[in-house]
Amino acid sequence: PAAPPPPPPLPQAAPPLTVAPAAATSDALVAFVDRNGRRARPPSGSWNGEAPAVPPPPVVTPDLPSALVSLEPRPGPVAPPGPETLSPRPEAPPPQPEVKPAPPPETPSRQPPPGPVAQPPRQAASVSAEAALAAILSVLQAQRDAAPALSAGRQAVTGWLASVIDAALASAGIRVGDTSRDRLVGLAFDELFGLGPLEDPLRDHSVAAILVNGPRSVFFDRHGRLEPAPTTFRDAAQLDDVARRLVLRVGDTAVFEHELLLDRQLGDGTRVTVVGPPLAPSGPYLVIRRPAARAISLDSLVAEGALSPQMAVVLRLAVRSGVNILVCGMEGSGKAALLSALVGAAASEDRVVTLGSGSESWPELANHVRLTAGDGARIDPAQALAAALALRPDRLVVADVTEAMMPGLVASPAAEAGGLIASVLAATPQDALGRLEAALRGAGAPVAPLATRRRLAHAFQLVVSLTRAAGDVRRVTHVGDLAIVGEALVCRDLFSFDQRAGRFVASGVRPNFLPRLARAGLDDALLAAL
């Protein structure tokens, strides 16, 4: 007979379940990253839709700092009953399909946003005044005709211009700071109604002259030296516009178009020269020379290296004793500066009469009479000289003596009595004397050459020659007296500049005008300087 079946086993208490710490478990919803930054591979059976063999412990999700990521904890299994409520272990329920969750981010801070995040509106970047002017210049030029007339005053024009600039900036979406806006208004005024890029150097008192050879070729005369200027024009059209505006200030554009050359003087003494096409095929060419803003003296010329201290002493003694002085040099060599320094060396009680073109800068004198024979005044040189002599000068100063003026000047009472200072356009002392001699011989009755030369030696006792040296340095190269040697009129050097040694040297020659200084009691000082 078959053996009876074994009795069923008695029910035993199920061992208590223990939940491992969250850091030691491998959960399907949270992926941990090791120290090397690698992501741990999830265990099999957790993300493939199959139920795990052992129910996973409950998952505790920490609070995340970012509002862009939100994780809800997955419901964990119900805790098993305690030992006091033991019951037979129910059969395992059939597996339920599990929804595969999206993998969580490696770190909450690197989680990309679920969608486009709205950014705050970006404000326009602030630009410089120069950049803003370049952007709106065409708009300002188009409205220039609607501006108030310049005769209404700069304030009225500036107010209109500021409103136009604000509207143009708003339309273009350009923003400038408060300081840049004030500069922008100033730049726009110079561009539309002034002389454009020439306005800044004109406000610089160290710039004595501006020479424009083309849009990209501008030079400054600063402290007696020519230097390339940082100022340039945008193009030839801007240069032509500035040249026409400059012509309007000093004359009539119709006259300029017929004459091709304009040489005028402004009210402040600034001399303007404009040469236009077709004489200047790539022009216009501009030269703006301003009167010296500083006082020029013999000492200041010594400081600039134009002459030596001993030469300055001799020139000062010659002026005080009434020696007639002839200054020669080419254009731009510094004749006007030396004339001004010589006038400043005159005694304070002297009555000084100056006759020039009007662009000279004379020092402040107590008894100074200024005559102008240039600037298109159509004044006869002989009449101008006669007027100067009729004013009873102690010192007569004539700038840029013309050939028509030379005969009357040499025969004038000023040349006879002393105190005459004149300048002539010539490269060397011999060239200057040759011009004077030719003018004297061609002006009147035939005179023997020797007699003409003696008249010149009597009219002028001291000759000073200037030149523009290498590096655009203005320098006195010769200081000498006149003497008749045989039948020739020669200039004997008292001082000269040695080009090789780079210094001034004295010859030790005693000048012929030493007796004149002796009558004034200045001969010992002269000999000490020589």
Side-chain angles (χ1 to χ4, degrees):
L10 295 177
Q12 299 181 2
L17 297 177
T18 60
V19 180
T25 61
S26 175
D27 187 41
L29 298 181
V30 179
F32 294 91
V33 178
D34 59 12
R35 293 181 178 178
N36 296 329
R38 293 173 302 181
R39 191 172 175 183
R41 183 178 180 85
S44 60
S46 59
W47 288 353
N48 57 1
E50 298 179 359
V54 180
V59 178
V60 179
T61 305
D63 294 334
L64 298 177
S66 174
L68 299 178
V69 180
S70 177
L71 296 178
E72 295 294 335
R74 181 177 177 181
V78 180
E84 65 276 7
T85 57
L86 291 178
S87 60
R89 179 181 298 175
E91 296 182 359
Q96 299 293 330
E98 184 178 25
V99 179
K100 186 183 299 183
E106 298 181 9
T107 56
S109 61
R110 297 181 182 179
Q111 174 69 23
V117 179
Q119 299 291 339
R122 179 178 298 178
Q123 297 181 353
S126 179
V127 300
S128 64
E130 290 78 7
L133 178 61
I136 65 174
L137 181 59
S138 58
V139 178
L140 302 181
Q141 291 174 339
Q143 302 187 33
R144 177 166 48 186
D145 294 338
L150 291 177
S151 58
R154 184 184 179 103
Q155 185 176 1
V157 179
T158 303
W160 171 86
L161 186 59
S163 61
V164 174
I165 288 176
D166 291 341
L169 293 177
S171 177
I174 300 175
R175 183 171 63 88
V176 297
D178 294 338
T179 305
S180 297
R181 181 184 178 277
D182 296 338
R183 175 167 173 76
L184 174 59
V185 174
L187 291 175
F189 185 90
D190 294 343
E191 178 70 28
L192 298 180
F193 308 104
L195 299 181
L198 300 183
E199 289 290 344
D200 280 345
L202 286 176
R203 286 188 281 262
D204 186 356
H205 295 292
S206 65
V207 178
I210 303 172
L211 299 88
V212 180
N213 302 335
R216 301 294 179 183
S217 179
V218 182
F219 292 86
F220 290 164
D221 184 346
R222 197 193 304 268
H223 303 305
R225 296 172 179 263
L226 282 180
E227 59 184 38
T231 301
T232 57
F233 295 84
R234 289 190 309 273
D235 47 30
Q238 186 188 23
L239 174 57
D240 185 70
D241 190 22
V242 170
R244 290 185 174 275
R245 207 171 303 149
L246 188 61
V247 170
L248 284 176
R249 289 189 181 185
V250 298
D252 188 0
T253 55
V255 174
F256 171 67
E257 291 176 357
H258 290 290
E259 293 184 354
L260 305 179
L261 170 65
L262 183 70
D263 191 15
R264 297 288 188 272
Q265 181 179 345
L266 299 179
D268 60 351
T270 301
R271 193 81 180 179
V272 175
T273 303
V274 183
V275 180
L279 184 60
S282 59
Y285 301 138
L286 309 178
V287 176
I288 303 175
R289 289 168 291 183
R290 299 190 306 175
R294 61 184 179 88
I296 300 177
S297 64
L298 292 174
D299 292 335
S300 66
L301 295 179
V302 170
E304 294 177 5
L307 68 162
S308 67
Q310 294 78 13
M311 297 163 68
V313 171
V314 172
L315 293 178
R316 185 177 289 110
L317 294 175
V319 173
R320 292 293 180 90
S321 59
V323 173
N324 294 343
I325 303 174
L326 178 64
V327 178
C328 64
M330 297 304 293
E331 189 69 32
S333 60
K335 298 189 304 297
L338 182 58
L339 283 182
S340 178
L342 293 176
V343 170
S348 59
E349 65 272 10
D350 286 346
R351 176 175 173 84
V352 179
V353 177
T354 58
L355 176 60
S357 62
S359 60
E360 298 83 8
S361 176
W362 305 112
E364 295 294 333
L365 302 174
N367 194 353
H368 179 204
V369 178
R370 179 172 178 171
L371 301 179
T372 301
D375 199 22
R378 310 297 182 185
I379 298 177
D380 181 72
Q383 293 180 354
L385 181 60
L389 293 172
L391 294 174
R392 297 179 57 186
D394 295 320
R395 297 289 179 269
L396 175 61
V397 183
V398 183
D400 294 330
V401 177
T402 62
E403 293 185 2
M405 194 183 297
M406 288 178 185
L409 187 65
V410 172
S412 66
E416 180 69 25
L420 174 62
I421 303 174
S423 67
V424 62
L425 186 67
T428 63
Q430 294 301 327
D431 292 341
L433 296 175
R435 288 192 60 190
L436 290 174
E437 182 179 352
L440 289 178
R441 296 179 61 182
V447 180
L450 182 57
T452 303
R453 293 162 190 163
R454 286 177 177 174
R455 288 182 59 186
L456 287 176
H458 182 73
F460 295 101
Q461 294 86 46
L462 185 64
V463 179
V464 183
S465 178
L466 297 101
T467 186
R468 183 189 291 273
D472 294 319
V473 178
R474 296 179 177 91
R475 181 178 292 123
V476 176
T477 55
H478 298 277
V479 175
D481 70 336
L482 294 183
I484 299 294
V485 179
E487 292 188 359
L489 178 63
V490 297
C491 179
R492 303 185 308 171
D493 283 342
L494 305 179
F495 296 93
S496 62
F497 182 77
D498 190 343
Q499 295 287 350
R500 294 184 177 180
R503 60 187 180 88
F504 298 99
V505 294
S507 64
V509 174
R510 289 194 173 193
N512 291 328
F513 56 83
L514 184 59
R516 182 184 288 268
L517 271 72
R519 291 193 295 268
L522 302 175
D523 52 336
D524 291 339
L526 177 64
L527 294 176
L530 294 175

